[in-house]
Amino acid sequence: MASVLLGVEGLRVVEADAEPDGSLTVWVVTDHPGAAACPDCGTCSVRVHEHVLARPRDVRRGADEVSVAWLKRRWKCGNAGCARKTFTESLPAVPARCRLTGRLRGLAGAEVAERGCTVAEAARWQRVSWPVAHQEFARQADPVLERPPSPVAHLGIDEHRRGRPRWRADEDSGEYVLLADRWHTCFFDLSGDQGLLGQVEGRTADDAAYWLAQTAPAWRDHIQVVAIDMCSIYASAVRRMLPGARIVVDLFHVVQLAVKMTGDVRRRAVREKYGRRGRSGDPEYGVKGLLVRNLEHLRPAQFAKIMDTLGADWHGQEIAAAWIAKEKLRDVLNLRARVTGSTPGERDVHDRLFRFYDWCAQHDDIPELVTLARTVSRWEQEIVCAVLTGVTNARSESLNRIAKLEARKAYAFRNPANQRRRVRIACTRGTRRRQNMPARRSRLVTGRQPDPG
Ligand SMILES: [Zn+2]
């Protein structure tokens, strides 16, 4: 019974002592038919040379430590022609010369791969060295990560910074020169749940194209939509490597751009009006928080406050024009099925987009508005496609957050390959967990219900 509780195949418990400090000493002997076989010639020995005591480290019992005392036999090899004279017993669970049981190593690796501990933390708790925990983690992680990805219909591309940019002061001019600014470009599965598909160092079009070129042509042909941030670099890489895929830009970034434009106009108008930056007490300052909200989320009183404040003078009207432009752009994006609950028509999208352009043209004395309209028109095709397909880069951003969190937990990585391995295993953990769980009825999220009013 005690041997079953210990659970190491080939070890039989003969005695167990509870120590005063709460730890447990378990005395075991070998109980395995293969243990007496010579590792060189395979002959089973019958002559014992001596007894030795080994203390392989094993997993904890709860929070308490267990010390295993293994009375091993050293056998004499029965084969006269064998070069090896004597050998000690070894088991698959505790290989020869190993001071750790296999399950302790496995647990240290699994804590990193499946529980999200850092290597240092897992090593500390399991009382193994950092290299042992890392080696075991890599052994478990690599086969999982090397599997070729399943076909993906919607691909997401995003980037995150690796570490901090490094600067150096130039001796002649005194100006700062950028020494290193390291980035990772990441590829995400937006339609399935494979999470992070791969990463590549750098963030140029060539870097992104390099990763795409390494995938199988059939896999590339399967991609229908690629979601990117408003970044022309990735767009050119996608056009080069995935000519059949449609590009969509993430609509969050479009709205973000419009909100930023409203703020820019407000700051400039306030500076022109007062000759200084805005401060609490200015009427424009009082509505700055309301201007970044969605129109449909404003209470009537709040809406009236904006109109009263901005209608007072010419500077306010300029801010109001920018704010209305933001809402007209949002009107375009709000046609997507996630908001309305029905498939948008391409003509409606173009109609609303025309109204936005028209508004910007009527207020072409506001330079920020013209810039926004130019940017939107440059990305028009991708924005329309995003509204029609409803594909967003939201999942990429959420996985990017995990990637950044992983780097923070590790207090930054020195080795980019280790970073990529740790980040990818972290960004696919949810997928693996779901695969191992019994099938559950999935709940389809169709988004916000259409407003009955
Ligand atoms: Zn032998």
Side-chain angles (χ1 to χ4, degrees):
M1 189 192 290
S3 308
V4 171
L5 283 175
L6 181 70
V8 179
E9 197 192 346
L11 291 185
R12 182 159 55 81
V13 177
V14 287
E15 202 177 315
D17 301 325
E19 305 292 344
D21 63 350
S23 72
L24 188 74
T25 306
V26 182
W27 292 84
V28 294
V29 294
T30 316
D31 184 14
H32 194 274
C38 167
D40 279 0
C41 62
T43 314
C44 269
S45 173
V46 286
R47 290 164 62 207
V48 176
H49 178 62
E50 61 176 347
H51 282 89
V52 288
L53 181 66
R55 288 183 168 273
R57 295 262 306 290
D58 197 22
V59 295
R60 290 166 184 263
R61 179 194 60 159
D64 299 330
E65 298 194 351
V66 175
S67 98
V68 175
W70 180 11
L71 270 170
K72 274 185 181 185
R73 276 165 291 195
R74 183 183 285 281
W75 297 95
K76 277 184 178 160
C77 183
N79 183 353
C82 179
R84 186 185 284 268
K85 299 295 171 212
T86 63
F87 61 91
T88 49
E89 295 169 327
S90 70
L91 295 169
V94 196
R97 293 193 186 81
C98 262
R99 288 195 245 169
L100 310 173
T101 60
R103 64 183 185 179
L104 178 61
R105 294 172 76 96
L107 191 62
E111 290 220 283
V112 184
E114 302 308 329
R115 283 195 51 222
C117 290
T118 59
V119 174
E121 189 50 51
R124 212 173 291 140
W125 175 246
Q126 300 297 351
R127 295 184 307 129
V128 298
S129 67
W130 190 95
V132 165
H134 177 75
Q135 211 176 31
E136 179 62 27
F137 161 62
R139 196 190 63 76
Q140 293 182 16
D142 288 345
V144 177
L145 299 183
E146 278 160 14
R147 268 179 231 150
S150 316
V152 166
H154 302 163
L155 180 74
I157 306 180
D158 205 356
E159 71 210 335
H160 65 254
R161 196 179 237 134
R162 176 176 136 65
R164 272 181 308 177
R166 301 286 154 106
W167 302 83
R168 179 176 60 82
D170 190 61
E171 283 172 11
D172 300 327
S173 62
E175 283 182 14
Y176 278 95
V177 184
L178 187 64
L179 273 185
D181 189 18
R182 296 161 303 173
W183 292 78
H184 267 143
T185 298
C186 305
F187 298 84
F188 303 94
D189 176 12
L190 302 181
S191 48
D193 62 353
Q194 296 180 82
L196 177 58
L197 297 165
Q199 300 142 288
V200 69
E201 254 176 283
R203 56 162 180 171
T204 64
D206 288 341
D207 293 326
Y210 169 74
W211 187 87
L212 288 169
Q214 285 179 323
T215 56
W219 187 83
R220 287 202 296 273
D221 290 344
H222 199 271
I223 296 171
Q224 295 158 9
V225 180
V226 182
I228 57 174
D229 297 350
M230 290 169 97
C231 163
S232 52
I233 294 169
Y234 292 146
S236 82
V238 171
R239 282 193 201 104
R240 200 193 314 167
M241 292 309 301
L242 306 168
R246 289 197 290 171
I247 300 176
V248 307
V249 292
D250 188 42
L251 296 183
F252 164 79
H253 291 90
V254 179
V255 176
Q256 190 185 36
L257 207 64
V259 170
K260 184 179 163 292
M261 181 275 303
T262 315
D264 289 344
V265 172
R266 181 181 54 78
R267 276 185 289 273
R268 183 175 56 75
V270 164
R271 195 171 280 277
E272 282 171 6
K273 183 175 171 185
Y274 300 99
R276 55 161 174 79
R277 57 183 291 184
R279 61 182 177 217
S280 128
D282 296 345
E284 292 82 6
Y285 198 87
V287 295
K288 82 170 192 167
L290 299 177
L291 291 180
V292 300
R293 290 202 205 162
N294 295 339
L295 180 63
E296 62 271 24
H297 295 152
L298 289 177
R299 288 196 299 274
Q302 291 174 326
F303 181 75
K305 185 181 175 188
I306 292 180
M307 296 318 274
D308 290 349
T309 310
L310 301 183
D313 59 3
W314 154 243
H315 294 290
Q317 283 163 13
E318 213 176 17
I319 302 171
W323 177 59
I324 292 168
K326 180 200 91 173
E327 288 304 326
K328 283 197 180 291
L329 183 58
R330 285 195 57 248
D331 277 348
V332 182
L333 314 184
N334 282 347
L335 277 174
R336 59 195 197 277
R338 203 182 138 75
V339 179
T340 59
S342 63
T343 316
E346 192 168 350
R347 176 175 245 175
D348 293 340
V349 180
H350 281 289
D351 278 353
R352 289 200 182 183
L353 210 49
F354 173 77
R355 270 179 250 158
F356 163 73
Y357 288 140
D358 190 39
W359 180 263
C360 294
Q362 287 172 36
H363 297 87
D364 61 350
D365 50 331
I366 304 174
E368 292 89 349
L369 215 49
V370 177
T371 311
L372 177 72
R374 284 217 181 98
T375 310
V376 169
S377 101
R378 199 162 59 239
W379 290 97
E380 183 178 312
Q381 205 186 340
E382 288 82 5
I383 291 173
V384 171
C385 195
V387 175
L388 294 179
T389 57
V391 175
T392 76
N393 229 356
R395 189 177 287 181
S396 308
E397 302 291 344
S398 94
L399 290 170
N400 231 341
R401 191 190 63 84
I402 297 179
K404 287 176 190 166
L405 193 64
E406 204 67 13
R408 287 224 147 187
K409 280 199 300 190
Y411 291 94
F413 286 91
R414 216 175 288 173
N415 182 330
N418 280 353
Q419 178 168 18
R420 284 195 290 275
R421 186 193 281 121
R422 283 274 293 284
V423 164
R424 257 200 85 196
I425 212 81
C427 290
T428 52
R429 195 172 287 136
T431 311
R432 289 196 304 281
R433 206 172 289 151
R434 278 191 291 277
Q435 280 169 355
N436 296 337
M437 276 199 314
R440 262 172 44 187
R441 203 163 57 88
S442 68
R443 190 164 59 93
L444 188 68
V445 180
T446 52
R448 208 182 307 165
Q449 291 299 312
D451 197 337

